[in-house]
Amino acid sequence: MALLTALFAFLYHLPQVYKWLLKPYYIASLFMSVAFLLIRKTPGICEHLSTQREDGNSCDFDWREVEILMFLSAIVMMKNRRAITIEQHLGNIILFCKVANVILFFRLDIRLGLLYLTLCIVSLMTCKPPIYMGPEYIKYFSDKTIDDELEKDNRVTWIVEFFANWSPECQSFASVYADLSLKYNCAGLKFGKVDIGRYSEVAKKYRVSTSPLSKQLPSLVLFQGGKEIMRRPQVDKKGRAVSWAFTEENIIREFNLNELYQKSKKLGKTKGEKFERPSESVFAPVPEEEEPEAETITAMDTESKKDK
């Protein structure tokens, strides 16, 4: 039953997978991931390669190459246990396939290894991973606007993502964060993003490290009244992030989004009432009957004083 569920889920998302795979980044990455396999198995090319097989068959893997490939598959399986989205799964597979290809090509021939490494660098500079361009209710901050927006209204709760465009983890998390903004954004609960890879002063002020070793990207911070309430991932004394999975379920549970959303909707209603009051008072109110009587009484008093 579990296999059938996984199969149906894959078939349901198959059109979306095709769209991703047809992008230039994934086409180039797929070719780079299977480059050694193609060279080792292609007739007319594999005959000119060296081999350590006892039978001298240069068109098949030797025992050392099989060990490297088995070790690669084990690492990919371990890394994909924490993967959230399909982009993360594909990213892990592509990354470790390229690393294995570098090792295999250098072991086969140092010239092929240098050529493959050069192609990897060129593809990294020219074909960047696609950026999420779907619907979202997210406000993008700069170093000049973030403080003003967070402190503008003390009743508004902000969830801000500190990210960097070069981070694969941030790129994979973009679709998850966008879905959360579509579900929970309202007048009293808003979502924001700031690129600390571009605004380094913001990273220093809010104590988010951009170093890949710190593993603090992305970081989600909850602000209420302009003050930080909580953040994920948490940071230990050494400045390293505590391991935490950025799944939609974890974020909803840790940030208590369902309760926050219900409270924040009430703020939207009160704002709507306050917005309607000025429209009702545009026309001058009709004077009450008691006010003219008061005026006549005061007028009679002043006349009596004059007579005296």
Side-chain angles (χ1 to χ4, degrees):
M1 188 66 183
L3 292 175
L4 289 175
T5 304
L7 179 60
F8 286 133
F10 176 76
L11 293 175
Y12 177 78
H13 293 287
L14 194 58
Q16 190 176 5
V17 173
Y18 277 138
K19 290 181 181 180
W20 290 332
L21 294 178
L22 291 177
K23 293 180 180 179
Y25 170 77
Y26 289 112
I27 293 175
S29 298
L30 182 62
F31 172 76
M32 298 294 293
S33 300
V34 298
F36 185 83
L37 175 64
L38 293 176
I39 290 178
R40 179 60 88 180
K41 293 293 185 179
T42 303
I45 299 178
C46 60
E47 291 86 359
H48 303 285
L49 302 177
S50 60
T51 183
Q52 295 182 2
R53 290 177 61 91
E54 296 179 356
D55 57 2
N57 184 10
S58 60
C59 291
D60 201 356
F61 300 113
D62 57 38
W63 66 273
R64 181 64 70 181
E65 293 170 349
V66 173
E67 283 186 349
I68 294 173
L69 293 174
M70 293 294 293
F71 183 67
L72 165 69
S73 60
I75 293 178
V76 170
M77 291 177 63
M78 291 176 61
K79 292 293 292 184
N80 277 343
R81 290 175 61 185
R82 296 184 178 181
I84 305 170
T85 61
I86 297 178
E87 293 96 329
Q88 285 184 334
H89 284 282
L90 291 176
N92 290 333
I93 294 172
I94 290 170
L95 174 62
F96 290 103
C97 282
K98 289 180 179 179
V99 172
N101 274 270
V102 170
I103 297 173
L104 291 170
F105 274 117
F106 269 104
R107 181 178 174 274
L108 182 63
D109 191 332
I110 190 171
R111 294 171 297 180
L112 293 176
L114 291 173
L115 177 61
Y116 181 82
L117 187 60
T118 303
L119 290 175
C120 288
I121 296 173
V122 171
S123 64
L124 181 64
M125 296 176 63
T126 55
C127 297
K128 296 183 179 181
I131 300 175
Y132 177 78
M133 299 297 291
E136 59 185 19
Y137 286 135
I138 299 174
K139 185 175 183 62
Y140 286 80
F141 300 131
S142 67
D143 55 346
K144 298 179 181 178
T145 61
I146 182 170
D147 296 333
D148 295 336
E149 288 292 337
L150 294 179
E151 298 173 1
K152 182 185 293 185
D153 192 344
N154 292 332
R155 298 170 300 175
V156 176
T157 300
W158 280 94
I159 298 178
V160 181
E161 178 194 355
F162 295 83
F163 75 102
N165 283 324
W166 51 262
S167 170
E169 291 80 8
C170 295
Q171 294 169 359
S172 300
F173 179 63
S175 59
V176 178
Y177 192 58
D179 290 339
L180 288 172
S181 70
L182 293 173
K183 294 178 181 177
Y184 292 97
N185 183 78
C186 60
L189 179 60
K190 297 183 178 181
F191 293 77
K193 294 179 73 170
V194 57
D195 186 359
I196 57 175
R198 181 179 179 184
Y199 305 110
S200 57
E201 295 181 357
V202 177
K204 292 179 182 178
K205 180 176 180 178
Y206 292 96
R207 304 183 307 279
V208 181
S209 175
T210 56
S211 172
L213 299 177
S214 67
K215 297 183 179 181
Q216 294 186 29
L217 294 177
S219 284
L220 284 182
V221 183
L222 178 69
F223 293 95
Q224 288 181 346
K227 297 181 180 180
E228 178 181 336
I229 304 300
M230 63 174 294
R231 72 168 60 195
R232 291 293 183 273
Q234 295 176 325
V235 182
D236 58 18
K237 296 180 180 179
K238 296 181 180 180
R240 290 180 60 86
V242 179
S243 180
W244 193 73
F246 279 87
T247 62
E248 185 173 336
E249 294 78 11
N250 283 349
I251 296 170
I252 293 173
R253 182 180 64 254
E254 292 289 326
F255 287 86
N256 202 7
L257 286 185
N258 291 321
E259 184 177 350
L260 269 177
Y261 179 70
Q262 294 300 327
K263 292 181 179 179
S264 301
K265 284 198 302 183
K266 297 179 181 178
L267 177 61
K269 293 179 181 179
T270 57
K271 282 186 175 182
E273 292 174 0
K274 291 182 179 180
F275 180 78
E276 291 176 0
R277 286 174 187 172
S279 62
E280 294 175 356
S281 62
V282 170
F283 300 99
V286 178
E288 299 178 356
E289 294 181 356
E290 296 179 358
E291 293 181 355
E293 293 179 359
E295 292 178 357
T296 55
I297 292 171
T298 54
M300 292 174 64
D301 291 339
T302 53
E303 289 179 357
S304 61
K305 287 179 182 180
K306 288 181 181 180
D307 294 338
K308 292 180 180 179

